[in-house]
Amino acid sequence: DAKTTQPTSMDCAEGRAANLPCNHSTISGNEYVYWYRQIHSQGPQYIIHGLKNNETNEMASLIITEDRKSSTLILPHATLRDTAVYYCIVRVANTGNQFYFGTGTSLTVIP
Amino acid sequence: GAGVSQTPSNKVTEKGKYVELRCDPISGHTALYWYRQSLGQGPEFLIYFQGTGAADDSGLPNDRFFAVRPEGSVSTLKIQRTERGDSAVYLCASSLAWGKYFGPGTRLTVT
């Protein structure tokens, strides 16, 4: 599996965009980039995923560099409820494959 | 609709005892996963079921850990002769296609 590298922690002011980076320099051509988050005392929650094109949904946007060696998750208007640990995972898109979560980025949204 | 549910939400047991943790996946989801999460760490893969069979149990730490899914729906994670190091949150996830949906977890404390 491609290994990911994320900053340990980040702060973001409420209402501002939160940009969470992830490096995955050894990603393979058939591996997707997934983002999950885990709010305190809850199970991980799916946010978004992509292969090489930028993606957007109601929760966030995912920007993947052209060489696919890094990506950024963007929460356009962070709220206090977005305070969580955010995990960047790379894996082939197959239900048979487990995720390797790493330690993620602890995002704190500040009032 | 109903998400993944796990029971009990908390379990305290004495060292050496046997415990069972239950997971009810989303109806119709064929894939089921167990993860374990220690404090300050990301979830760690334990075992994956496709239907009734364990397709990948490479994450089980030793033979004290065992999981079943006899009818392809509910799964039970069984831990024999519990040790203090088994204390963690045990997460279950289910999947039909690419997305994994996690339950809230069972917090196991071995005293």
Side-chain angles (χ1 to χ4, degrees), chain A residues 34 36 38 40-46 49 87 93-103, chain B residues 31 33 35 37 40-43 45 48 50 56 58 91 95-100 102-104:
Chain A
Y34 294 83
Y36 277 72
Q38 189 171 24
H40 183 62
S41 297
Q42 298 183 21
Q45 175 192 24
Y46 166 80
H49 77 291
Y87 296 99
N94 181 320
T95 57
N97 289 288
Q98 66 272 25
F99 285 163
Y100 295 95
F101 278 83
T103 54
Chain B
Y33 307 79
Y35 286 78
Q37 187 170 25
Q41 302 297 314
F45 170 76
Y48 151 63
Q50 183 61 256
D56 183 352
S58 61
L91 294 161
S95 175
L96 184 60
W98 50 261
K100 291 179 173 60
F102 284 82

Side-chain angles (χ1 to χ4, degrees), chain B residues 55-67:
Chain B
D56 183 352
D57 64 357
S58 61
L60 294 178
N62 52 58
D63 61 7
R64 295 187 297 106
F65 289 75
F66 189 70

Side-chain angles (χ1 to χ4, degrees), chain A residues 83-98:
Chain A
T83 293
V85 178
Y86 287 77
Y87 296 99
C88 168
I89 301 159
V90 293
R91 199 57 169 139
V92 295
N94 181 320
T95 57
N97 289 288
Q98 66 272 25

Side-chain angles (χ1 to χ4, degrees), chain B residues 18-21 34 46-47 49 54 57 60-69 75-80:
Chain B
Y18 167 83
V19 295
E20 291 189 351
L21 311 179
W34 283 98
L46 294 177
I47 186 170
F49 288 89
D57 64 357
L60 294 178
N62 52 58
D63 61 7
R64 295 187 297 106
F65 289 75
F66 189 70
V68 295
R69 195 186 185 200
S75 176
T76 305
L77 178 66
K78 307 181 181 191
I79 310 174
Q80 298 178 320

Side-chain angles (χ1 to χ4, degrees), chain A residues 48-101:
Chain A
I48 198 167
H49 77 291
L51 183 62
K52 52 184 178 181
N53 296 324
N54 298 337
E55 302 289 342
T56 296
N57 63 20
E58 65 277 6
M59 291 182 69
S61 294
L62 174 60
I63 307 299
I64 303 174
T65 58
E66 191 169 345
D67 64 8
R68 302 210 322 124
K69 293 185 177 182
S70 65
S71 60
T72 301
L73 178 74
I74 301 173
L75 308 178
H77 304 288
T79 70
L80 298 180
R81 287 177 294 180
D82 292 323
T83 293
V85 178
Y86 287 77
Y87 296 99
C88 168
I89 301 159
V90 293
R91 199 57 169 139
V92 295
N94 181 320
T95 57
N97 289 288
Q98 66 272 25
F99 285 163
Y100 295 95
F101 278 83

